[in-house]
Amino acid sequence: MFDNQHTVYAIFFTITSDVTIKVGQLGNFLFPSGNYIYVGSAKRNIQSRIQRHMQMEKRKRWHIDYIRPYGTITHVQTYSSELSECERAQQLFQQYKGRWIVKKFGSSDCRCFSHLIYYKE
């Protein structure tokens, strides 16, 4: 299903109506209806990581786990390590003319503003 040589992934999903969600320690945020991209990485077994993110019922471990029940995944893309997770998030942000919604979402271990991108079609 996924290329296990790849280490970076992007989960594309849609939220169909505005919703306020508490995202762990980050707090409560309004997520407007629209399209989102969550960029993550897995040094090994990327397929298992992505499959976990796709599940609805699970212990909340990553920021994406808090908003997953509110979104419908449209597709998942994996990438080689040519660009890091941070570089890929920036590249997709520019490509989709994105907007950052939540500071430090998925990026609590780096200097990026966020790894969650919001965009309109």
Side-chain angles (χ1 to χ4, degrees):
M1 183 175 169
F2 301 112
D3 186 333
N4 276 319
Q5 301 302 310
H6 287 180
T7 58
V8 177
Y9 58 88
I11 299 174
F12 293 74
F13 62 99
T14 303
I15 294 178
T16 56
S17 58
D18 296 358
V19 60
T20 299
I21 304 168
K22 183 178 190 312
V23 180
Q25 299 292 324
L26 294 178
N28 292 304
F29 297 92
L30 172 64
F31 291 86
S33 64
N35 302 296
Y36 292 83
I37 307 166
Y38 171 72
V39 181
S41 64
K43 300 251 188 289
R44 53 184 160 67
N45 211 347
I46 193 169
Q47 185 171 345
S48 292
R49 174 72 55 87
I50 292 167
Q51 287 174 338
R52 185 189 186 283
H53 287 328
M54 294 177 91
Q55 295 171 4
M56 294 290 225
E57 299 293 322
K58 63 190 158 224
R59 188 178 136 262
K60 291 175 176 56
R61 180 173 177 186
W62 284 282
H63 293 144
I64 187 71
D65 297 340
Y66 292 90
I67 64 172
R68 173 64 189 102
Y70 302 93
T72 302
I73 294 174
T74 56
H75 69 284
V76 176
Q77 178 70 48
T78 63
Y79 305 92
S80 70
S81 57
E82 176 187 354
L83 296 179
S84 70
E85 175 182 351
C86 299
E87 292 167 330
R88 184 64 66 186
Q90 283 295 329
Q91 184 254 331
L92 290 168
F93 179 83
Q94 292 170 0
Q95 179 182 342
Y96 285 87
K97 297 175 177 57
R99 216 170 90 202
W100 303 123
I101 300 289
V102 179
K103 186 175 184 177
K104 300 314 284 174
F105 191 106
S107 62
S108 52
D109 59 350
C110 67
R111 291 182 153 164
C112 295
F113 188 87
S114 182
H115 286 181
L116 179 71
I117 301 157
Y118 169 77
Y119 69 99
K120 289 283 191 185
E121 277 298 338

